[in-house]
Amino acid sequence: MYHNETPVEHSDRRLNSGSTSDPAVSDDTVLTARVRIAAWFLLILAGVIEAVFSRRVVWADGISYLDMGDAIMRGDWGMAINAYWSPLYPCLQGLALRVFKPSAYSEFAVLYFVNFLTYLFALACFDFLLRTTVADWPPPADVPGESLRLPKWAVFGVGYSVFLWSSLTLISMQSPTPDLLMAGLLYLAVGLLLRIWARPQRFSLFVALGAVLGFGYLAKAAVFPLAFLFFAILWFVGGGWRSAAPRVLVAMLVFLVVSGPWFMALSRAKGKFTFGDTGRFNYVREVNGASPNPYFQNPGTASGHFVHPVRKLFDSPPIYEFATPIKGTLPIWYNPSYWSDGAAPRISVKRQLSVIQRWLMFYFDMFLPNQAALLVGFVVLCLMAGRNLVLRQLAARWPVWLVALAGLGMYALVFVEPRYVAVFFALLWVGLFSGLRTPAGREGRRLVSLVTLAVVIAVASPVAVSVVGHLNRVLKGQPHNQWQVAEDLRSMGIKPGDPIARIGGLFNVGWARLLRVTIVAEVPRANWREFWCAKPEVQAQVIETFRRLGATAIVAEQTPGNEVYLPGPEWHKLGDGTFYALRLAPESPK
């Protein structure tokens, strides 16, 4: 039908040339170009606003990535080889800090600059995926009846609104994590998978797919098991089992070449084969019920025992110490897999089914408020083409939504956070909408326009309102409270490298990173009342315990809400009053 060029190339050439004898197709080409230009402008603007708004605060995950990036840049592989955090994102952060050499005040701004670049990368990869899904293949002649493919501009419009929602609401620019980077690599990988489906004889596409999946694993370990689903799909779309075999094996080899050095280093460090400990850690915590999190003392229903658990020094309130041997700003969270070593997942059918039910209900709850417009719009457009085409429309881009369902199912086995599954919801809706067909004729096009516009407004408007609110706060000015806390501690005589204790500690530790101190022990956030409501002699014992550890100060964080503590005059207010500090004198020699 297309002579010597592929369906994808034929479609791309028509899209770029803008010349066609069909007025409807010509209108679609013009509208698609306008939608893409407008969407890119608005998405980039929204990304800039979110990056600037977020630049003052970094939570503990981001601090661990920064510490890991520093270790990679200075060649400290004993610290850098970490079975919980993946290396690609911290490597980018470390490289950016080495290039820009920012002051402590500006360090987080550099981090969010890198986050913004990963957002642009994800957007470019998503655009590649959309351009591939709207290509004119399989040929329209294969579909019986008078129907047309859903206009390309409609697919792009819905797709970009989904990208906006998944990237800035589910993942969020305020989360300095590799989720956007992983999302971009998965968008690129699925796009390559579809290109291979269109032209399986192109050897270079198999090589590219293997490399992209390898880098995806380096961005986040969850891509490792998903990569083998991609390879399985390649057997079906790669031109037949026998002819596809050599190219699929090459893709797998390239994947192993890219990913192999990291999982071999992890395996050597752990003394067993592993591509990462994130899954084991989360299974022991979420399914087997190890507690308390993350100071594991009781393995719950997990098998084995903790080889080197966090040290508990005091019972009420509990004090946990983790000064050695892990390095980093917050050692308890720099390498969580170390503290949970020895506990192995134990599968219980009853517990596993309970966990799956919990996360399926979580997905269902996400569908109702956030994705109802997408679901209704899809059903309406799907039925417009006729009930006899429903299954054919669902199957049109099956590799896209199959990867999405696999990702959602994988996380539902253990633990789900919106940012973990954002990419899979985006893939799900792109796979479903890009396979739709609509009745021919002006009325059909008009209804498609109305439904598409309604879906785009419903999905994008809440995100737009949030972005405008953040812009307003940026324009009013944002104090850098984390830096001010670090400066106030410096004025109290706290120096880089000093050991610090915490009361009410959780993940708000940006100040510790900026001052380059190490948190060595803490009373957990869940137990802050036990300290502030305790008798004076108990408080004195807690303070003395921290002093004996060598801590130079205790930093206490106010708990949000109506319940706040009133520290005595010996506690110094830090920053905007979110934190207080007590300077500890060195223990007197005996």
Side-chain angles (χ1 to χ4, degrees):
M1 179 176 178
Y2 298 112
H3 306 292
N4 293 325
E5 59 185 354
T6 70
V8 170
E9 289 172 334
H10 177 77
S11 174
D12 287 346
R13 183 175 59 79
R14 284 201 327 180
L15 182 61
N16 294 330
S17 67
S19 60
T20 176
S21 58
D22 186 345
V25 174
S26 179
D27 291 343
D28 186 20
T29 301
V30 173
L31 280 173
T32 300
R34 291 176 178 174
V35 167
R36 290 182 67 199
I37 293 171
W40 271 77
F41 173 77
L42 294 174
L43 286 167
I44 291 174
L45 179 61
V48 169
I49 293 171
E50 290 298 294
V52 174
F53 171 75
S54 307
R55 72 193 187 283
R56 300 302 195 200
V57 177
V58 178
W59 300 102
D61 286 17
I63 299 301
S64 293
Y65 282 119
L66 283 170
D67 289 348
M68 188 175 175
D70 289 346
I72 293 173
M73 288 297 107
R74 66 175 179 262
D76 184 358
W77 300 111
M79 179 177 177
I81 302 299
N82 189 314
Y84 193 78
W85 311 106
S86 298
L88 184 57
Y89 183 72
C91 188
L92 295 176
Q93 298 286 10
L95 183 61
L97 292 178
R98 172 160 291 193
V99 170
F100 291 104
K101 297 181 173 60
S103 64
Y105 184 88
S106 303
E107 183 173 89
F108 291 172
V110 173
L111 184 155
Y112 281 104
F113 173 71
V114 175
N115 246 28
F116 175 69
L117 293 182
T118 62
Y119 172 79
L120 291 183
F121 170 75
L123 176 57
C125 294
F126 190 78
D127 185 77
F128 171 79
L129 171 63
L130 288 178
R131 287 187 288 111
T132 304
T133 58
V134 300
D136 291 335
W137 61 274
D142 289 349
V143 181
E146 294 186 2
S147 64
L148 302 172
R149 289 283 303 277
L150 189 69
K152 295 172 184 175
W153 70 263
V155 176
F156 274 93
V158 172
Y160 283 130
S161 63
V162 169
F163 177 85
L164 177 70
W165 166 68
S166 66
S167 300
L168 297 186
T169 297
L170 296 187
I171 295 177
S172 174
M173 191 72 76
Q174 300 173 48
S175 176
T177 63
D179 296 283
L180 269 172
L181 182 60
M182 183 193 79
L185 290 165
L186 282 179
Y187 296 144
L188 184 56
V190 174
L192 289 170
L193 190 63
L194 294 181
R195 296 258 170 166
I196 290 171
W197 193 12
R199 192 175 181 182
Q201 66 271 26
R202 288 193 62 179
F203 182 80
S204 60
L205 293 176
F206 288 82
V207 175
L209 179 60
V212 168
L213 290 172
F215 283 108
Y217 160 68
L218 296 179
K220 204 162 183 184
V223 176
F224 193 91
L226 287 175
F228 294 94
L229 172 64
F230 277 86
F231 298 139
I233 295 174
L234 278 182
W235 288 100
F236 291 93
V237 303
W241 286 80
R242 184 170 299 178
S243 61
R247 293 189 288 272
V248 175
L249 291 176
V250 167
M252 295 177 68
L253 179 62
V254 173
F255 168 73
L256 293 175
V257 167
V258 174
S259 63
W262 182 250
F263 72 71
M264 289 174 64
L266 290 181
S267 300
R268 183 176 180 181
K270 286 291 186 179
K272 61 179 181 179
F273 173 78
T274 180
F275 61 86
D277 250 7
T278 309
R280 179 192 67 83
F281 175 86
N282 284 323
Y283 199 95
V284 167
R285 179 183 65 174
E286 299 296 331
V287 182
N288 293 139
S291 62
N293 177 36
Y295 319 95
F296 294 157
Q297 306 291 303
N298 178 4
T301 62
S303 61
H305 63 280
F306 298 120
V307 177
H308 23 67
V310 179
R311 295 169 285 275
K312 188 176 183 181
L313 304 181
F314 207 83
D315 288 327
S316 183
I319 297 177
Y320 296 102
E321 180 266 323
F322 36 80
T324 58
I326 302 298
K327 304 175 185 178
T329 303
L330 184 60
I332 186 66
W333 199 240
Y334 180 75
N335 192 350
S337 69
Y338 171 84
W339 305 107
S340 64
D341 270 347
R346 176 176 289 168
I347 297 176
S348 161
V349 175
K350 183 178 180 180
R351 275 182 171 264
Q352 186 64 73
L353 291 177
S354 176
V355 168
I356 293 173
Q357 181 184 18
R358 174 189 176 189
W359 296 122
L360 288 180
M361 290 302 298
F362 179 82
Y363 289 153
F364 181 75
D365 290 341
M366 286 186 69
F367 263 96
L368 286 181
N370 299 316
Q371 302 175 70
L374 288 163
L375 180 61
V376 172
F378 170 75
V379 171
V380 170
L381 293 175
C382 185
L383 295 178
M384 278 176 56
R387 295 182 179 180
N388 59 319
L389 292 180
V390 169
L391 292 180
R392 193 178 292 269
Q393 292 177 92
L394 291 174
R397 295 291 181 264
W398 64 268
V400 184
W401 54 255
L402 180 60
V403 171
L405 292 179
L408 293 171
M410 177 181 68
Y411 277 104
L413 292 173
V414 185
F415 181 66
V416 177
E417 281 191 14
R419 64 184 177 92
Y420 295 167
V421 296
V423 58
F424 302 113
F425 278 120
L427 287 173
L428 175 65
W429 292 118
V430 168
L432 292 176
F433 273 90
S434 60
L436 290 176
R437 305 190 68 82
T438 61
R442 181 174 298 178
E443 290 301 320
R445 291 197 299 271
R446 182 177 301 172
L447 185 55
V448 166
S449 299
L450 292 174
V451 173
T452 301
L453 184 61
V455 170
V456 170
I457 292 174
V459 174
S461 56
V463 189
V465 170
S466 175
V467 171
V468 170
H470 291 167
L471 175 61
N472 184 50
R473 292 177 63 180
V474 169
L475 294 176
K476 288 182 178 179
Q478 294 171 281
H480 196 340
N481 189 51
Q482 295 290 311
W483 175 80
Q484 189 59 55
V485 169
E487 286 297 291
D488 289 345
L489 285 169
R490 194 190 307 274
S491 68
M492 293 173 58
I494 306 302
K495 305 181 297 297
D498 280 357
I500 301 294
R502 290 200 301 170
I503 294 175
L506 193 63
F507 293 135
N508 197 1
V509 292
W511 54 270
R513 163 74 189 190
L514 297 180
L515 188 53
R516 297 299 193 272
V517 296
T518 299
I519 297 169
V520 297
E522 61 190 23
V523 173
R525 191 181 188 89
N527 305 100
W528 68 271
R529 292 181 185 85
E530 294 180 41
F531 175 80
W532 294 109
C533 297
K535 296 179 180 179
E537 54 267 28
V538 174
Q539 293 187 1
Q541 289 175 343
V542 170
I543 293 171
E544 183 61 24
T545 299
F546 285 143
R547 180 183 286 108
R548 289 175 181 173
L549 289 174
T552 57
I554 303 172
V555 175
E557 182 181 356
Q558 285 277 14
T559 301
N562 295 326
E563 289 188 84
V564 295
Y565 53 80
L566 297 175
E570 68 277 14
W571 290 82
H572 298 267
K573 179 181 176 180
L574 306 176
D576 63 0
T578 306
F579 297 89
Y580 285 82
L582 175 66
R583 187 73 163 91
L584 297 180
E587 188 177 6
S588 301
K590 296 180 180 179

